[in-house]
Amino acid sequence: MNKIAKKYRLGLSLIKGIGSATFQQLLKISTAEELWKLSEGELRDKVGQNLATKIIAGRYEIDIKKVVSDIERARIEYLVLGEKNYPKLLSQIYDPPTVLYFKGEIDSSLLNNSISIVGTRSYSKFGLEITRKLTKKLVQQGFSIISGLAFGIDKAAHQAALEAGGYTVAVLGGPANIPSPQSNFRTYEKIIKSGAVVSEFPLGTEIEAWNFPKRNRIISGLSLGTLVIEAGEKSGALITARSAVEQNREVFAVPWSLDAKGGKGVNRLIKEGKAKLIESIEDILVEFGYFIDTSENRSQELTLESLQINKLEKSAITVLRSSAIDAEELAIKLGRNISVIGSVLVELEIKGAVMKDEGGKWRVVL
């Protein structure tokens, strides 16, 4: 998508009364640039009086050139729905954000193998410990970690992912250039250096309570599944879990004792059949087709961390987890030269992470 087409899609997304569904429908009728430039009569013939009125009003109110300039000045970037690098999993939900503003790096290949980890702000010592433990193990198995940067379980998940050398994405309840809450500024800065902070809210949006339930669908939408660690009966983490169910994504939950206040919401998810009870990391892995080696003679567990996998090797493993493919197809998917990918595969084979089958296709053996 060229810069001009992207700019006009950005403008269209900012018009009041045009949500995700309407945005997608309009782009089936015409291009955003044409919709921006047509006369009122021509617009009315194409999209009807109601939408034509909204678009005309939006065109008078929105200065696209200034909007783009403000975004650049704030040192953030943006992806529009339909753009090549827009996260695939997120694009598949019913109401994906029309624009995703971000700071850091959006790595589509890493995002295709993501788990969201959510929970209460009023966490317990056990909740914190299990969050750190499960997060690090998921990172070691090649998963990226999605959460909301809220104080408590969310922040702990981000921090554990960073400590394990993983890729993590924080979904904010306000503009991407402002950490929310402000007290998590240091974690916000660390995430930007090796992951990304994202938001659907334009610059200047006030951070209000209603923003957070809305952003929760993005947390689950970016993920293959959502893991709820600790949540009371009214926790916002339950909204994320409900969004995951509606998006036909997996939901996992850590069981709690009956008298644990912070576990009542989690236990209810399990009781109602909305979440799969997990007792170990293997309960999550088997849902995504991972081979679990339970042999007693395996002297050392092979993990991405112990094998010192670099970023490109990690991306290759993420793609190969989906299906076994040959080197040429992997090079195309990763957008790299075949000679570079050939060297990557040889290195991974030496490390014992991948193998080449009789048909010439590469597969993960971790």
Side-chain angles (χ1 to χ4, degrees), residues 33-282:
E33 182 177 1
E34 183 182 45
L35 292 171
W36 202 266
K37 294 179 177 180
L38 287 174
S39 68
E40 185 171 359
E42 291 170 326
L43 262 179
R44 191 166 51 245
D45 291 340
K46 269 190 177 292
V47 302
Q49 181 64 58
N50 185 39
L51 281 175
T53 300
K54 290 178 180 178
I55 293 171
I56 292 295
R59 284 172 7 185
Y60 280 112
E61 294 171 4
I62 300 164
D63 182 342
I64 299 181
K65 187 176 181 180
K66 183 180 183 302
V67 171
V68 173
S69 176
D70 289 345
I71 288 173
E72 292 172 349
R73 195 178 301 112
R75 296 183 179 180
I76 64 174
E77 299 176 71
Y78 70 96
L79 290 169
V80 296
L81 185 60
E83 194 172 352
K84 182 181 178 181
N85 291 331
Y86 190 97
K88 182 180 177 181
L89 290 172
L90 187 60
S91 70
Q92 295 170 348
I93 70 173
Y94 169 71
D95 54 347
T98 53
V99 175
L100 202 61
Y101 303 90
F102 69 95
K103 292 192 74 170
E105 181 182 1
I106 296 292
D107 190 319
S108 298
S109 61
L110 294 179
L111 280 174
N112 287 338
N113 202 49
S114 299
I115 292 286
S116 57
I117 299 179
V118 296
T120 181
R121 290 173 172 81
S122 306
Y123 62 91
S124 64
K125 183 179 179 181
F126 171 76
L128 186 63
E129 289 176 353
I130 200 68
T131 298
R132 295 180 60 80
K133 179 180 178 181
L134 292 176
T135 299
K136 289 184 176 182
K137 287 191 174 183
L138 284 166
V139 169
Q140 288 166 3
Q141 291 295 335
F143 285 98
S144 299
I145 304 300
I146 314 295
S147 199
L149 197 63
F151 183 77
I153 299 300
D154 289 20
K155 181 180 177 181
H158 289 305
Q159 290 177 327
L162 291 169
E163 289 169 10
Y167 178 79
T168 185
V169 173
V171 184
L172 306 184
N177 64 325
I178 301 174
S180 51
Q182 289 278 1
S183 58
N184 285 343
F185 176 77
R186 288 186 180 180
T187 304
Y188 168 93
E189 288 291 316
K190 289 178 181 178
I191 291 171
I192 290 171
K193 290 178 181 178
S194 58
V197 294
V198 306
S199 173
E200 72 174 321
F201 299 107
L203 291 176
T205 302
E206 291 186 17
I207 301 174
E208 299 180 2
W210 69 268
N211 293 10
F212 294 91
K214 189 178 180 185
R215 71 87 195 258
N216 288 355
R217 82 187 196 290
I218 301 177
I219 295 176
S220 58
L222 282 167
S223 315
L224 292 168
T226 293
L227 170 59
V228 186
I229 300 286
E230 183 175 11
E233 291 183 294
K234 296 183 179 180
S235 172
L238 301 182
I239 298 174
T240 309
R242 185 165 65 245
S243 294
V245 171
E246 292 171 353
Q247 293 161 355
N248 199 28
R249 304 285 168 84
E250 299 288 348
V251 180
F252 307 97
V254 176
W256 287 72
S257 61
L258 295 176
D259 58 349
K261 209 174 194 180
K264 289 187 180 298
V266 183
N267 288 345
R268 191 171 81 237
L269 285 174
I270 297 170
K271 181 180 179 181
E272 294 175 352
K274 294 177 180 176
K276 294 180 174 68
L277 183 153
I278 70 157
E279 297 177 305
S280 68
I281 194 70
E282 285 76 17

Side-chain angles (χ1 to χ4, degrees), residues 334-345:
L334 294 177
R336 297 298 183 100
N337 187 284
I338 182 64
S339 62
V340 173
I341 295 303
S343 299
V344 168
L345 289 170

